[in-house]
Amino acid sequence: MRRKIGTGRGTWILSAVQLLVVAMYGYAAVAYLTTEAEYFPEQSPPGWAWPAVIAVGIGFVPALLCLMLALPGLTSPELRRDRPRWTGLLVASVLSGLMLLVMVTPAGWELFDWYVS
């Protein structure tokens, strides 16, 4: 018998991946806001910036994939009965959605340009 997506450990894994990507993107935003642009080397970011570069550059890929996998679970009546898992998945999915919205704003493009260009 095959389990549905969004049930069991898969729910926690989806939530954890989404929260990790959102945390890395948040780290990128905070680092950008607290660092002077002229002191940031353009061609080779320091070691502390690699999580931010990855999140800003390709973070939308895992975020979109996780959201696509999470939507069936969020609408599942079976998962809604398990409040902690459903709530965790909902919070992580909302944060991923907000991150994706920020990515397409001018501020998100500026952040992308600063890290990836």
Side-chain angles (χ1 to χ4, degrees):
M1 180 177 206
R2 192 173 168 153
R3 298 182 86 174
K4 292 182 181 179
I5 291 176
T7 59
R9 276 189 297 187
T11 304
W12 293 117
I13 292 170
L14 280 174
S15 299
V17 169
Q18 289 182 87
L19 291 174
L20 176 66
V21 173
V22 169
M24 288 170 47
Y25 194 80
Y27 173 70
V30 169
Y32 172 72
L33 293 172
T34 60
T35 303
E36 296 287 333
E38 64 259 13
Y39 298 117
F40 189 82
E42 289 183 11
Q43 298 303 322
S44 66
W48 60 264
W50 282 109
V53 171
I54 292 168
V56 170
I58 61 170
F60 67 92
V61 174
L64 282 173
L65 288 174
C66 286
L67 280 176
M68 288 183 344
L69 290 172
L71 286 177
L74 289 171
T75 59
S76 164
E78 178 184 329
L79 186 60
R80 284 187 179 194
R81 284 188 287 256
D82 187 1
R83 281 306 240 191
R85 284 191 309 170
W86 185 80
T87 304
L89 185 61
L90 179 66
V91 168
S93 297
V94 167
L95 289 174
S96 284
L98 288 173
M99 179 191 77
L100 290 170
L101 285 175
V102 168
M103 284 181 157
V104 298
T105 64
W109 280 107
E110 184 178 337
L111 190 65
F112 178 83
D113 185 47
W114 194 67
Y115 276 105
V116 179
S117 294

